[in-house]
Amino acid sequence: MAEFLVIRLPADANAPAEWIAVDGNGARRGEPVAGALADAAAAAQERRVIVLVPGTDVLTAAVDIPVKGGARLQAALPYALEEHLAEDVETLHFAAGLRRASGKVPVAVVRRDTLVDWLARLADAGITPWSVVPENYGLARLPGTISLLVSRDEVMINDGADVEVVMQGVRPGDALAAIGALDDGDAAEDARDDDAAAPAPAAPVLPRHALVYCDAETDERYRHDWIALRQELETLDVRLLPDGVTPRLAATVATGAGVNLLQGEFATRTEYAPLLRRWRVAAMLLGAFVLTGLLARAADLYFLSREEAALRDAFLAEYQEVAPGASAVRDPAAIVASLRTRTGHAEAPARFLQSLEDLSLALRAQAETRIESLSYRGGIVDVRLNAPNVTALDGIQKAIQERGRFKASIQGTSQQGERVSSQIRMEASGP
């Protein structure tokens, strides 16, 4: 699996950067490190580099725009966002992500000279980024949940759908109020008192569940805020980040989340013409080799098909002695197995089919669990599952064992972002 080095670039060029190595599922491949960018270049060897840039310097939004993509989408973005922009569009750089299920397109806007400065700092350190992503995209979007990441004087927040912003110098409650997640009692009372007021358009209903990430110091600073917010929301869960913010953000962006700012004039380009000229003779030889292999494969398939037809005719002739009048058969092996069963010569019970039955019944109660792979050898079934938590895995293990035909054991688990990956081994309980 591909590995990434996720570097969090500080707003202050003189401040240390932070980085961590992760794989494509967001799992750690090392410990978080802080230091000079030049030191991060050594850790970037043979890894793709994802650079997280300060979210306070980037406008992130989601726009409803009918243009599908390419140059037309790039040209349309300034007009779709003009009411949110206070600067000349000529000084800004626009980048778009993949269209979401809501139909909206995530967009990131940054000053062109700011992006040029970031890329220059990376180049001076000997780092060529694979992608450059605003850091607030590292806060995963969870449907039905408002997510916040509180660090120093910044609050990253999203509503689990299309609202994704970074606020500076505000408390968590102020951030929730800013996106409309808290009830405005005074406004509601004013609306009831004003009989002549026209009815306000219905606002989107935001989730009443909140998930907060922060370090222990921040948790202690806002502990009274959490108490107050729990009175206004249905739930508020605070999760501490013992190793800081960077590992949490890296786990999300490594899976492909976020908008890559390296688009348009800043897109990474590869010059293929010199490479093609250098390898032209080798490419011609490779093409000739592939063509020869395809011709040989076609000849083999032709002779094998003729041999298969001859074997089918021979089998049919023998089978018609047992079952006169039988027509051509599609699956000789199935017929032989059926004959062995009827004559009392069937082999051991089909453990594999039994294991699939028990596994499927166990998974019915765990709808969010997915099967990643399954293997069967020597009467033992190994199945790799991707579950929302360890509790779901325990439930599946117990459900299999309660049926009594198989023993189930968890071979190991690993954290993959918000989910858990594990392998369960199923062995027959008796002969």
Side-chain angles (χ1 to χ4, degrees), residues 92 191 223:
L92 302 175
R223 60 190 181 91

Side-chain angles (χ1 to χ4, degrees), residues 246-326:
T246 301
R248 174 68 269 164
L249 302 179
T252 301
V253 296
T255 63
V259 176
N260 182 9
L261 293 174
L262 299 183
Q263 299 181 25
E265 64 181 286
F266 295 98
T268 303
R269 293 178 174 82
T270 303
E271 296 294 335
Y272 293 103
L275 295 175
L276 292 176
R277 284 195 297 269
R278 183 181 305 174
W279 295 98
R280 180 170 53 188
V281 175
M284 293 174 62
L285 292 174
L286 177 61
F289 176 76
V290 171
L291 179 60
T292 302
L294 291 175
L295 292 175
R297 186 66 177 271
D300 289 343
L301 289 176
Y302 172 73
F303 289 115
L304 287 174
S305 64
R306 293 187 60 183
E307 184 176 350
E308 180 186 13
L311 290 172
R312 284 184 177 275
D313 292 340
F315 177 82
L316 180 59
E318 294 290 339
Y319 180 52
Q320 286 176 338
E321 294 184 7
V322 180

